[in-house]
mmCIF file of all heavy atoms in Angstrom:
data_model
loop_
_atom_site.group_PDB
_atom_site.id
_atom_site.type_symbol
_atom_site.label_atom_id
_atom_site.label_comp_id
_atom_site.label_asym_id
_atom_site.label_seq_id
_atom_site.Cartn_x
_atom_site.Cartn_y
_atom_site.Cartn_z
ATOM 1 N N ILE A 1 29.943 51.491 -25.706
ATOM 2 C CA ILE A 1 29.242 52.743 -26.031
ATOM 3 C C ILE A 1 28.097 52.978 -25.058
ATOM 4 O O ILE A 1 27.935 54.072 -24.507
ATOM 5 C CB ILE A 1 28.728 52.711 -27.485
ATOM 6 C CG1 ILE A 1 29.907 52.746 -28.458
ATOM 7 C CG2 ILE A 1 27.785 53.889 -27.756
ATOM 8 C CD1 ILE A 1 29.509 52.590 -29.903
ATOM 9 N N ASP A 2 27.278 51.957 -24.845
ATOM 10 C CA ASP A 2 26.149 52.092 -23.918
ATOM 11 C C ASP A 2 26.627 52.508 -22.528
ATOM 12 O O ASP A 2 25.992 53.355 -21.867
ATOM 13 C CB ASP A 2 25.388 50.769 -23.819
ATOM 14 C CG ASP A 2 24.529 50.489 -25.045
ATOM 15 O OD1 ASP A 2 24.518 51.334 -25.968
ATOM 16 O OD2 ASP A 2 23.872 49.431 -25.087
ATOM 17 N N ALA A 3 27.746 51.935 -22.093
ATOM 18 C CA ALA A 3 28.265 52.251 -20.760
ATOM 19 C C ALA A 3 28.730 53.697 -20.680
ATOM 20 O O ALA A 3 28.480 54.389 -19.682
ATOM 21 C CB ALA A 3 29.412 51.304 -20.411
ATOM 22 N N LYS A 4 29.396 54.183 -21.722
ATOM 23 C CA LYS A 4 29.900 55.556 -21.706
ATOM 24 C C LYS A 4 28.767 56.576 -21.785
ATOM 25 O O LYS A 4 28.834 57.646 -21.170
ATOM 26 C CB LYS A 4 30.893 55.776 -22.847
ATOM 27 C CG LYS A 4 32.231 55.090 -22.632
ATOM 28 C CD LYS A 4 33.238 55.473 -23.710
ATOM 29 C CE LYS A 4 34.608 54.867 -23.415
ATOM 30 N NZ LYS A 4 35.613 55.258 -24.442
ATOM 31 N N VAL A 5 27.738 56.246 -22.544
ATOM 32 C CA VAL A 5 26.588 57.167 -22.659
ATOM 33 C C VAL A 5 25.648 56.995 -21.465
ATOM 34 O O VAL A 5 24.843 57.870 -21.164
ATOM 35 C CB VAL A 5 25.843 56.917 -23.985
ATOM 36 C CG1 VAL A 5 24.625 57.824 -24.125
ATOM 37 C CG2 VAL A 5 26.786 57.145 -25.167
ATOM 38 N N GLN A 6 25.767 55.856 -20.791
ATOM 39 C CA GLN A 6 24.917 55.493 -19.658
ATOM 40 C C GLN A 6 23.452 55.405 -20.080
ATOM 41 O O GLN A 6 22.554 55.934 -19.433
ATOM 42 C CB GLN A 6 25.094 56.491 -18.502
ATOM 43 C CG GLN A 6 26.506 56.466 -17.911
ATOM 44 C CD GLN A 6 26.633 57.351 -16.691
ATOM 45 O OE1 GLN A 6 25.982 58.377 -16.570
ATOM 46 N NE2 GLN A 6 27.489 56.950 -15.763
ATOM 47 N N ARG A 7 23.273 54.700 -21.209
ATOM 48 C CA ARG A 7 21.916 54.512 -21.719
ATOM 49 C C ARG A 7 21.880 53.209 -22.517
ATOM 50 O O ARG A 7 22.710 52.996 -23.407
ATOM 51 C CB ARG A 7 21.501 55.696 -22.605
ATOM 52 C CG ARG A 7 20.040 55.691 -22.986
ATOM 53 C CD ARG A 7 19.621 57.010 -23.616
ATOM 54 N NE ARG A 7 20.231 57.233 -24.913
ATOM 55 C CZ ARG A 7 21.025 58.257 -25.204
ATOM 56 N NH1 ARG A 7 21.336 59.130 -24.279
ATOM 57 N NH2 ARG A 7 21.517 58.398 -26.413
ATOM 58 N N ALA A 8 20.944 52.332 -22.198
ATOM 59 C CA ALA A 8 20.843 51.054 -22.899
ATOM 60 C C ALA A 8 20.420 51.266 -24.343
ATOM 61 O O ALA A 8 19.658 52.185 -24.663
ATOM 62 C CB ALA A 8 19.833 50.151 -22.187
ATOM 63 N N ASN A 9 20.916 50.410 -25.206
ATOM 64 C CA ASN A 9 20.557 50.409 -26.630
ATOM 65 C C ASN A 9 20.888 51.710 -27.352
ATOM 66 O O ASN A 9 20.238 52.055 -28.337
ATOM 67 C CB ASN A 9 19.070 50.073 -26.808
ATOM 68 C CG ASN A 9 18.722 48.677 -26.353
ATOM 69 O OD1 ASN A 9 19.551 47.775 -26.436
ATOM 70 N ND2 ASN A 9 17.519 48.503 -25.837
ATOM 71 N N THR A 10 21.887 52.435 -26.858
ATOM 72 C CA THR A 10 22.382 53.578 -27.635
ATOM 73 C C THR A 10 22.984 53.071 -28.936
ATOM 74 O O THR A 10 22.818 53.685 -29.995
ATOM 75 C CB THR A 10 23.446 54.354 -26.844
ATOM 76 O OG1 THR A 10 22.836 54.932 -25.693
ATOM 77 C CG2 THR A 10 24.048 55.472 -27.684
ATOM 78 N N ALA A 11 23.706 51.944 -28.842
ATOM 79 C CA ALA A 11 24.325 51.340 -30.023
ATOM 80 C C ALA A 11 23.466 50.170 -30.503
ATOM 81 O O ALA A 11 23.183 49.238 -29.755
ATOM 82 C CB ALA A 11 25.732 50.863 -29.685
ATOM 83 N N LYS A 12 23.044 50.254 -31.771
ATOM 84 C CA LYS A 12 22.285 49.172 -32.399
ATOM 85 C C LYS A 12 23.094 48.638 -33.571
ATOM 86 O O LYS A 12 23.867 49.375 -34.185
ATOM 87 C CB LYS A 12 20.927 49.679 -32.905
ATOM 88 C CG LYS A 12 20.044 50.287 -31.834
ATOM 89 C CD LYS A 12 18.663 50.598 -32.388
ATOM 90 C CE LYS A 12 18.721 51.643 -33.489
ATOM 91 N NZ LYS A 12 17.360 52.050 -33.952
ATOM 92 N N VAL A 13 22.894 47.374 -33.898
ATOM 93 C CA VAL A 13 23.623 46.765 -35.007
ATOM 94 C C VAL A 13 22.635 46.354 -36.092
ATOM 95 O O VAL A 13 21.582 45.767 -35.816
ATOM 96 C CB VAL A 13 24.433 45.538 -34.541
ATOM 97 C CG1 VAL A 13 25.047 44.810 -35.738
ATOM 98 C CG2 VAL A 13 25.535 45.964 -33.570
ATOM 99 N N ASN A 14 22.985 46.685 -37.330
ATOM 100 C CA ASN A 14 22.194 46.290 -38.492
ATOM 101 C C ASN A 14 23.057 45.363 -39.336
ATOM 102 O O ASN A 14 24.031 45.805 -39.954
ATOM 103 C CB ASN A 14 21.786 47.534 -39.294
ATOM 104 C CG ASN A 14 20.683 47.243 -40.294
ATOM 105 O OD1 ASN A 14 20.209 46.126 -40.401
ATOM 106 N ND2 ASN A 14 20.296 48.269 -41.045
ATOM 107 N N LEU A 15 22.751 44.082 -39.324
ATOM 108 C CA LEU A 15 23.500 43.108 -40.109
ATOM 109 C C LEU A 15 22.985 43.108 -41.550
ATOM 110 O O LEU A 15 21.785 42.977 -41.787
ATOM 111 C CB LEU A 15 23.360 41.709 -39.504
ATOM 112 C CG LEU A 15 23.845 41.552 -38.058
ATOM 113 C CD1 LEU A 15 23.602 40.127 -37.572
ATOM 114 C CD2 LEU A 15 25.312 41.915 -37.924
ATOM 115 N N ILE A 16 23.901 43.270 -42.496
ATOM 116 C CA ILE A 16 23.536 43.409 -43.903
ATOM 117 C C ILE A 16 24.148 42.251 -44.696
ATOM 118 O O ILE A 16 25.373 42.173 -44.815
ATOM 119 C CB ILE A 16 24.044 44.740 -44.481
ATOM 120 C CG1 ILE A 16 23.560 45.917 -43.627
ATOM 121 C CG2 ILE A 16 23.619 44.908 -45.932
ATOM 122 C CD1 ILE A 16 24.244 47.235 -43.953
ATOM 123 N N PRO A 17 23.338 41.344 -45.220
ATOM 124 C CA PRO A 17 23.898 40.295 -46.073
ATOM 125 C C PRO A 17 24.625 40.926 -47.259
ATOM 126 O O PRO A 17 24.085 41.806 -47.935
ATOM 127 C CB PRO A 17 22.661 39.507 -46.530
ATOM 128 C CG PRO A 17 21.619 39.793 -45.483
ATOM 129 C CD PRO A 17 21.872 41.208 -45.047
ATOM 130 N N PHE A 18 25.850 40.507 -47.507
ATOM 131 C CA PHE A 18 26.638 41.060 -48.603
ATOM 132 C C PHE A 18 25.932 40.836 -49.937
ATOM 133 O O PHE A 18 25.423 39.749 -50.215
ATOM 134 C CB PHE A 18 28.024 40.408 -48.638
ATOM 135 C CG PHE A 18 28.845 40.789 -49.836
ATOM 136 C CD1 PHE A 18 29.348 42.075 -49.966
ATOM 137 C CD2 PHE A 18 29.105 39.864 -50.839
ATOM 138 C CE1 PHE A 18 30.096 42.434 -51.086
ATOM 139 C CE2 PHE A 18 29.854 40.212 -51.950
ATOM 140 C CZ PHE A 18 30.350 41.505 -52.070
ATOM 141 N N ASN A 19 25.904 41.879 -50.765
ATOM 142 C CA ASN A 19 25.278 41.791 -52.081
ATOM 143 C C ASN A 19 26.361 41.724 -53.151
ATOM 144 O O ASN A 19 27.073 42.702 -53.378
ATOM 145 C CB ASN A 19 24.367 43.006 -52.305
ATOM 146 C CG ASN A 19 23.189 42.999 -51.348
ATOM 147 O OD1 ASN A 19 22.435 42.036 -51.290
ATOM 148 N ND2 ASN A 19 23.035 44.066 -50.576
ATOM 149 N N PRO A 20 26.511 40.573 -53.804
ATOM 150 C CA PRO A 20 27.616 40.383 -54.753
ATOM 151 C C PRO A 20 27.504 41.287 -55.975
ATOM 152 O O PRO A 20 26.421 41.734 -56.350
ATOM 153 C CB PRO A 20 27.468 38.908 -55.158
ATOM 154 C CG PRO A 20 26.624 38.285 -54.107
ATOM 155 C CD PRO A 20 25.707 39.364 -53.633
ATOM 156 N N PHE A 21 28.642 41.537 -56.596
ATOM 157 C CA PHE A 21 28.707 42.280 -57.853
ATOM 158 C C PHE A 21 29.862 41.716 -58.670
ATOM 159 O O PHE A 21 30.752 41.033 -58.138
ATOM 160 C CB PHE A 21 28.872 43.792 -57.605
ATOM 161 C CG PHE A 21 30.058 44.149 -56.745
ATOM 162 C CD1 PHE A 21 31.304 44.394 -57.300
ATOM 163 C CD2 PHE A 21 29.924 44.254 -55.363
ATOM 164 C CE1 PHE A 21 32.400 44.720 -56.512
ATOM 165 C CE2 PHE A 21 31.014 44.584 -54.559
ATOM 166 C CZ PHE A 21 32.253 44.818 -55.136
ATOM 167 N N ALA A 22 29.874 41.978 -59.954
ATOM 168 C CA ALA A 22 30.873 41.405 -60.858
ATOM 169 C C ALA A 22 32.285 41.791 -60.431
ATOM 170 O O ALA A 22 32.575 42.966 -60.217
ATOM 171 C CB ALA A 22 30.613 41.880 -62.284
ATOM 172 N N GLY A 23 33.143 40.798 -60.313
ATOM 173 C CA GLY A 23 34.537 41.054 -60.018
ATOM 174 C C GLY A 23 34.908 41.035 -58.549
ATOM 175 O O GLY A 23 36.088 41.117 -58.207
ATOM 176 N N THR A 24 33.915 40.933 -57.647
ATOM 177 C CA THR A 24 34.231 40.958 -56.221
ATOM 178 C C THR A 24 34.818 39.630 -55.756
ATOM 179 O O THR A 24 34.507 38.566 -56.306
ATOM 180 C CB THR A 24 32.983 41.280 -55.375
ATOM 181 O OG1 THR A 24 33.364 41.347 -54.000
ATOM 182 C CG2 THR A 24 31.912 40.206 -55.538
ATOM 183 N N ARG A 25 35.675 39.689 -54.746
ATOM 184 C CA ARG A 25 36.253 38.472 -54.175
ATOM 185 C C ARG A 25 35.454 37.972 -52.971
ATOM 186 O O ARG A 25 35.761 36.915 -52.422
ATOM 187 C CB ARG A 25 37.702 38.730 -53.748
ATOM 188 C CG ARG A 25 37.879 39.786 -52.664
ATOM 189 C CD ARG A 25 39.351 40.064 -52.414
ATOM 190 N NE ARG A 25 39.579 41.204 -51.528
ATOM 191 C CZ ARG A 25 39.690 41.106 -50.209
ATOM 192 N NH1 ARG A 25 39.600 39.919 -49.627
ATOM 193 N NH2 ARG A 25 39.910 42.181 -49.483
ATOM 194 N N PHE A 26 34.440 38.737 -52.546
ATOM 195 C CA PHE A 26 33.679 38.375 -51.350
ATOM 196 C C PHE A 26 32.431 37.574 -51.701
ATOM 197 O O PHE A 26 31.893 37.682 -52.808
ATOM 198 C CB PHE A 26 33.283 39.631 -50.576
ATOM 199 C CG PHE A 26 34.454 40.443 -50.097
ATOM 200 C CD1 PHE A 26 34.752 41.665 -50.680
ATOM 201 C CD2 PHE A 26 35.271 39.979 -49.074
ATOM 202 C CE1 PHE A 26 35.833 42.423 -50.247
ATOM 203 C CE2 PHE A 26 36.350 40.719 -48.638
ATOM 204 C CZ PHE A 26 36.639 41.939 -49.222
ATOM 205 N N GLU A 27 31.959 36.811 -50.714
ATOM 206 C CA GLU A 27 30.716 36.064 -50.853
ATOM 207 C C GLU A 27 29.803 36.378 -49.672
ATOM 208 O O GLU A 27 30.265 36.709 -48.582
ATOM 209 C CB GLU A 27 30.991 34.555 -50.879
ATOM 210 C CG GLU A 27 31.824 34.099 -52.062
ATOM 211 C CD GLU A 27 32.107 32.608 -52.027
ATOM 212 O OE1 GLU A 27 31.642 31.945 -51.062
ATOM 213 O OE2 GLU A 27 32.788 32.116 -52.936
ATOM 214 N N ARG A 28 28.506 36.257 -49.897
ATOM 215 C CA ARG A 28 27.524 36.506 -48.834
ATOM 216 C C ARG A 28 27.584 35.403 -47.782
ATOM 217 O O ARG A 28 27.695 34.220 -48.115
ATOM 218 C CB ARG A 28 26.122 36.574 -49.432
ATOM 219 C CG ARG A 28 25.013 36.785 -48.405
ATOM 220 C CD ARG A 28 23.648 36.785 -49.052
ATOM 221 N NE ARG A 28 23.490 37.917 -49.963
ATOM 222 C CZ ARG A 28 22.377 38.160 -50.653
ATOM 223 N NH1 ARG A 28 21.340 37.356 -50.541
ATOM 224 N NH2 ARG A 28 22.318 39.203 -51.462
ATOM 225 N N SER A 29 27.516 35.801 -46.527
ATOM 226 C CA SER A 29 27.458 34.803 -45.447
ATOM 227 C C SER A 29 26.195 33.956 -45.585
ATOM 228 O O SER A 29 25.141 34.439 -46.018
ATOM 229 C CB SER A 29 27.441 35.500 -44.082
ATOM 230 O OG SER A 29 28.630 36.234 -43.874
ATOM 231 N N GLU A 30 26.310 32.702 -45.201
ATOM 232 C CA GLU A 30 25.148 31.827 -45.225
ATOM 233 C C GLU A 30 24.109 32.318 -44.221
ATOM 234 O O GLU A 30 24.438 32.884 -43.183
ATOM 235 C CB GLU A 30 25.570 30.394 -44.884
ATOM 236 C CG GLU A 30 26.503 29.785 -45.918
ATOM 237 C CD GLU A 30 27.048 28.441 -45.479
ATOM 238 O OE1 GLU A 30 26.732 28.028 -44.332
ATOM 239 O OE2 GLU A 30 27.788 27.820 -46.260
ATOM 240 N N GLU A 31 22.848 32.062 -44.538
ATOM 241 C CA GLU A 31 21.747 32.546 -43.696
ATOM 242 C C GLU A 31 21.879 32.048 -42.260
ATOM 243 O O GLU A 31 21.661 32.800 -41.302
ATOM 244 C CB GLU A 31 20.415 32.091 -44.297
ATOM 245 C CG GLU A 31 19.191 32.507 -43.491
ATOM 246 C CD GLU A 31 18.916 34.006 -43.528
ATOM 247 O OE1 GLU A 31 19.419 34.685 -44.451
ATOM 248 O OE2 GLU A 31 18.202 34.498 -42.628
ATOM 249 N N THR A 32 22.247 30.773 -42.087
ATOM 250 C CA THR A 32 22.369 30.237 -40.723
ATOM 251 C C THR A 32 23.479 30.940 -39.950
ATOM 252 O O THR A 32 23.343 31.189 -38.747
ATOM 253 C CB THR A 32 22.651 28.723 -40.770
ATOM 254 O OG1 THR A 32 23.802 28.482 -41.606
ATOM 255 C CG2 THR A 32 21.462 27.967 -41.321
ATOM 256 N N ARG A 33 24.558 31.288 -40.656
ATOM 257 C CA ARG A 33 25.660 31.963 -39.973
ATOM 258 C C ARG A 33 25.254 33.382 -39.568
ATOM 259 O O ARG A 33 25.625 33.855 -38.490
ATOM 260 C CB ARG A 33 26.890 31.997 -40.879
ATOM 261 C CG ARG A 33 28.126 32.537 -40.166
ATOM 262 C CD ARG A 33 29.391 32.367 -40.989
ATOM 263 N NE ARG A 33 29.823 30.978 -41.064
ATOM 264 C CZ ARG A 33 31.035 30.618 -41.488
ATOM 265 N NH1 ARG A 33 31.911 31.526 -41.864
ATOM 266 N NH2 ARG A 33 31.360 29.342 -41.541
ATOM 267 N N ILE A 34 24.477 34.051 -40.413
ATOM 268 C CA ILE A 34 23.994 35.397 -40.077
ATOM 269 C C ILE A 34 23.104 35.338 -38.839
ATOM 270 O O ILE A 34 23.229 36.157 -37.919
ATOM 271 C CB ILE A 34 23.235 36.016 -41.272
ATOM 272 C CG1 ILE A 34 24.189 36.257 -42.450
ATOM 273 C CG2 ILE A 34 22.565 37.330 -40.859
ATOM 274 C CD1 ILE A 34 23.491 36.712 -43.721
ATOM 275 N N ARG A 35 22.206 34.349 -38.797
ATOM 276 C CA ARG A 35 21.290 34.234 -37.658
ATOM 277 C C ARG A 35 22.034 33.844 -36.377
ATOM 278 O O ARG A 35 21.695 34.325 -35.288
ATOM 279 C CB ARG A 35 20.193 33.214 -37.976
ATOM 280 C CG ARG A 35 19.249 33.658 -39.077
ATOM 281 C CD ARG A 35 18.511 34.931 -38.708
ATOM 282 N NE ARG A 35 17.730 35.465 -39.826
ATOM 283 C CZ ARG A 35 17.049 36.604 -39.774
ATOM 284 N NH1 ARG A 35 17.061 37.334 -38.657
ATOM 285 N NH2 ARG A 35 16.380 37.033 -40.823
ATOM 286 N N ASP A 36 23.054 32.996 -36.498
ATOM 287 C CA ASP A 36 23.862 32.647 -35.325
ATOM 288 C C ASP A 36 24.616 33.878 -34.804
ATOM 289 O O ASP A 36 24.735 34.080 -33.583
ATOM 290 C CB ASP A 36 24.863 31.547 -35.683
ATOM 291 C CG ASP A 36 24.202 30.193 -35.903
ATOM 292 O OD1 ASP A 36 23.029 30.039 -35.509
ATOM 293 O OD2 ASP A 36 24.858 29.301 -36.470
ATOM 294 N N PHE A 37 25.113 34.671 -35.729
ATOM 295 C CA PHE A 37 25.822 35.910 -35.382
ATOM 296 C C PHE A 37 24.875 36.857 -34.648
ATOM 297 O O PHE A 37 25.218 37.441 -33.606
ATOM 298 C CB PHE A 37 26.341 36.553 -36.670
ATOM 299 C CG PHE A 37 27.416 37.595 -36.489
ATOM 300 C CD1 PHE A 37 28.753 37.265 -36.615
ATOM 301 C CD2 PHE A 37 27.083 38.923 -36.229
ATOM 302 C CE1 PHE A 37 29.754 38.233 -36.482
ATOM 303 C CE2 PHE A 37 28.062 39.889 -36.086
ATOM 304 C CZ PHE A 37 29.408 39.542 -36.210
ATOM 305 N N GLN A 38 23.657 36.991 -35.176
ATOM 306 C CA GLN A 38 22.660 37.848 -34.540
ATOM 307 C C GLN A 38 22.336 37.355 -33.134
ATOM 308 O O GLN A 38 22.233 38.155 -32.192
ATOM 309 C CB GLN A 38 21.376 37.882 -35.384
ATOM 310 C CG GLN A 38 20.282 38.759 -34.773
ATOM 311 C CD GLN A 38 18.947 38.596 -35.496
ATOM 312 O OE1 GLN A 38 18.654 37.531 -36.047
ATOM 313 N NE2 GLN A 38 18.139 39.645 -35.481
ATOM 314 N N LYS A 39 22.197 36.036 -32.983
ATOM 315 C CA LYS A 39 21.849 35.484 -31.667
ATOM 316 C C LYS A 39 22.942 35.771 -30.634
ATOM 317 O O LYS A 39 22.643 36.106 -29.472
ATOM 318 C CB LYS A 39 21.595 33.978 -31.767
ATOM 319 C CG LYS A 39 21.092 33.350 -30.464
ATOM 320 C CD LYS A 39 20.754 31.892 -30.635
ATOM 321 C CE LYS A 39 20.121 31.328 -29.355
ATOM 322 N NZ LYS A 39 20.952 31.524 -28.149
ATOM 323 N N LEU A 40 24.200 35.662 -31.037
ATOM 324 C CA LEU A 40 25.296 35.962 -30.114
ATOM 325 C C LEU A 40 25.224 37.411 -29.642
ATOM 326 O O LEU A 40 25.451 37.709 -28.456
ATOM 327 C CB LEU A 40 26.642 35.690 -30.788
ATOM 328 C CG LEU A 40 27.057 34.218 -30.919
ATOM 329 C CD1 LEU A 40 28.275 34.084 -31.820
ATOM 330 C CD2 LEU A 40 27.333 33.608 -29.548
ATOM 331 N N LEU A 41 24.904 38.319 -30.547
ATOM 332 C CA LEU A 41 24.783 39.725 -30.177
ATOM 333 C C LEU A 41 23.575 39.962 -29.276
ATOM 334 O O LEU A 41 23.661 40.683 -28.262
ATOM 335 C CB LEU A 41 24.692 40.599 -31.433
ATOM 336 C CG LEU A 41 25.975 40.735 -32.250
ATOM 337 C CD1 LEU A 41 25.677 41.349 -33.611
ATOM 338 C CD2 LEU A 41 26.997 41.598 -31.519
ATOM 339 N N LEU A 42 22.443 39.373 -29.629
ATOM 340 C CA LEU A 42 21.235 39.536 -28.810
ATOM 341 C C LEU A 42 21.435 38.968 -27.412
ATOM 342 O O LEU A 42 21.032 39.582 -26.414
ATOM 343 C CB LEU A 42 20.045 38.856 -29.491
ATOM 344 C CG LEU A 42 19.517 39.516 -30.770
ATOM 345 C CD1 LEU A 42 18.485 38.620 -31.453
ATOM 346 C CD2 LEU A 42 18.899 40.886 -30.463
#
C-alpha cells in the first residue's frame, strides 16, 4: 500500500487482543506472542 500511494506509513496496523465471549471457539493470543508479532511488523 505504501509503495502504491508513494507515502510512508499510509498503512498502519492496530493489533487487538481478542475479547472472549460465551460460546466462542477462539482464544486471546498470549501477550508475548502479540508483542513478538508487533516487533516483526515494526
Side-chain angles (χ1 to χ4, degrees):
I1 292 175
D2 285 359
K4 288 187 175 181
V5 178
Q6 295 186 328
R7 189 168 68 240
N9 296 329
T10 295
K12 302 187 297 185
V13 173
N14 195 0
L15 301 178
I16 306 168
F18 173 70
N19 294 304
F21 55 89
T24 182
R25 62 186 172 91
F26 299 109
E27 297 178 0
R28 178 182 295 181
S29 297
E30 295 173 357
E31 179 70 20
T32 54
R33 187 171 288 194
I34 294 173
R35 293 299 173 183
D36 289 345
F37 197 96
Q38 180 190 29
K39 186 176 186 305
L40 284 170
L41 289 167
L42 290 171

